[in-house]
Amino acid sequence: MATSKTIVLPEPDQLKKIFQDIGTTEEKIDVEVKTLVEWMRKQPHLPNPDDERRIRMFLIMCKNSLERTKESLDQYYTIKSMVPEFFSDRDPTSPSLVRSMGISIFIPLPKLTPEGHRISLSRLRDPSGIDNYEFLDYVKVNFMSIDIRLSKLDMFKKETFIFDLKHFSLSLLTTVVPHVKKFIYCATTAYPLRIHQVHIVNMPTYAQSMVNMVLGILKKKIASRIMIHDSVEDLKKHIKPELLPLDYGGTFPKTAEEMTDDWIEELQKHKEWFLSQNSVVCDESKRAKKPNVKVNMLAGVEGSFRKLEVD
């Protein structure tokens, strides 16, 4: 496992608890990963298994279910091949992605919660750059961050998200809305992330319509875990201060901006890996049966929200 200044891994007792909670041990996981590697090799449409660590994380997130993990791995590589605007040309040093990361980015916070959950923070860094904002690039970098965590850097039980909507403008809302459904579908289909909580802070009133739309798309179980906070102080009732950046009322000895710079450096350090992953997708011409991915969810979904009325 690669070491990183951006990610603090579970302590041995935390790791043991993560395995206990899904009814297995590290030794059993090792055996089941080998089983999944052999399964992938026998699927003509899937790429050769290039990263056992990704398979391990998928198995953990699928709560140690081999069948669910097989389905999730298939969906991951299928989505990658079907949605190139989110999953291809992923060079973290390219001008378009560097510009995107300078405006808005989604980063993991370094420390895990006591339960072994990873917290991720999404925020606008530079509101003056909104005129050049490309939501598709933002999504691409988000998925790159998840991929490098699962394949190289991270180990965790569940995910907690913080969305800071400060500086979220009305013009930005109209840019984001057409792509929200496809983004959420891909995020929840390509990755079997177990979402513990979603926190929204600094939400302007005109963003309520977008949040309502997201609530309508998500499964009820996940939608019920979304909390909107009036203040950062309210957020700290749910997330311990020692996990939060200094500028979010936390005591972790870095600001969100410093953490963001560290994370961009991490992404760019893995440039060659990202480039090598561009071609690691399904070959649909070799698939024996139809994919589980709902193709109709990926075709033309943007149009369904173009008539959204914003208060």
Side-chain angles (χ1 to χ4, degrees), residues 264-302:
I264 291 173
E265 181 183 331
E266 188 77 77
L267 294 177
Q268 293 179 337
K269 185 173 71 177
H270 288 90
K271 171 181 176 175
E272 295 306 317
W273 181 84
F274 283 117
L275 294 178
S276 73
Q277 290 294 301
N278 283 333
S279 59
V280 183
V281 297
C282 272
D283 183 346
E284 293 299 331
S285 68
K286 296 180 180 178
R287 185 187 289 275
K289 59 181 181 178
K290 290 183 179 180
N292 288 325
V293 170
K294 297 177 182 177
V295 179
N296 63 312
M297 290 293 289
L298 300 174
V301 294
E302 293 92 339

Side-chain angles (χ1 to χ4, degrees), residues 57 141 143 167 171 177 212 223 234 245 253 262 268-269 274 281:
M57 281 304 302
V141 175
F143 290 161
H167 307 305
S171 62
V177 160
N212 290 343
D234 189 50
D262 288 345
Q268 293 179 337
K269 185 173 71 177
F274 283 117
V281 297

Side-chain angles (χ1 to χ4, degrees), residues 192-208:
L193 295 174
R194 299 173 63 196
I195 298 173
H196 177 60
Q197 293 174 340
V198 179
H199 301 276
I200 300 174
V201 295
N202 298 320
M203 187 180 81
T205 54
Y206 49 77
Q208 184 66 55

Side-chain angles (χ1 to χ4, degrees), residues 110-210:
K111 290 182 70 175
L112 290 168
T113 70
E115 302 84 8
H117 302 162
R118 179 68 62 198
I119 301 167
S120 293
L121 169 67
S122 176
R123 67 189 184 96
L124 272 168
R125 302 180 69 193
D126 180 13
S128 67
I130 284 176
D131 289 344
N132 298 314
Y133 185 76
E134 290 289 344
F135 184 65
L136 297 183
D137 288 336
Y138 166 80
V139 173
K140 186 179 289 192
V141 175
N142 278 3
F143 290 161
M144 288 168 65
S145 294
I146 296 173
D147 280 338
I148 197 67
R149 285 173 51 206
L150 298 184
S151 299
K152 295 289 181 187
L153 301 174
D154 209 353
M155 175 67 75
F156 60 98
K157 179 180 176 183
K158 293 183 181 180
E159 191 91 38
T160 289
F161 299 128
I162 303 172
F163 291 94
D164 183 354
L165 301 188
K166 188 177 182 181
H167 307 305
F168 196 87
S169 68
L170 195 55
S171 62
L172 185 59
L173 179 64
T174 58
T175 302
V176 169
V177 160
H179 308 288
V180 165
K181 187 175 183 181
K182 184 182 283 190
F183 168 47
I184 291 175
Y185 180 77
C186 290
T188 56
T189 304
Y191 304 101
L193 295 174
R194 299 173 63 196
I195 298 173
H196 177 60
Q197 293 174 340
V198 179
H199 301 276
I200 300 174
V201 295
N202 298 320
M203 187 180 81
T205 54
Y206 49 77
Q208 184 66 55
S209 57
M210 184 186 70

Side-chain angles (χ1 to χ4, degrees), residues 190-242:
Y191 304 101
L193 295 174
R194 299 173 63 196
I195 298 173
H196 177 60
Q197 293 174 340
V198 179
H199 301 276
I200 300 174
V201 295
N202 298 320
M203 187 180 81
T205 54
Y206 49 77
Q208 184 66 55
S209 57
M210 184 186 70
V211 172
N212 290 343
M213 183 179 71
V214 170
L215 289 170
I217 297 169
L218 291 172
K219 293 179 180 177
K220 288 183 179 180
K221 183 171 70 171
I222 297 176
S224 68
R225 296 172 185 169
I226 295 179
M227 288 173 267
I228 299 173
H229 302 282
D230 294 331
S231 65
V232 170
E233 286 303 311
D234 189 50
L235 175 67
K236 289 195 292 184
K237 295 175 184 176
H238 302 272
I239 297 177
K240 292 180 180 295
E242 58 263 32

Side-chain angles (χ1 to χ4, degrees), residues 58-76:
F58 269 59
L59 182 59
I60 290 169
M61 292 187 295
C62 290
K63 296 192 282 190
N64 197 35
S65 165
L66 283 173
E67 290 309 308
R68 176 73 184 99
T69 305
K70 290 176 184 179
E71 180 183 338
S72 288
L73 287 167
D74 196 324
Q75 290 179 165
Y76 169 74

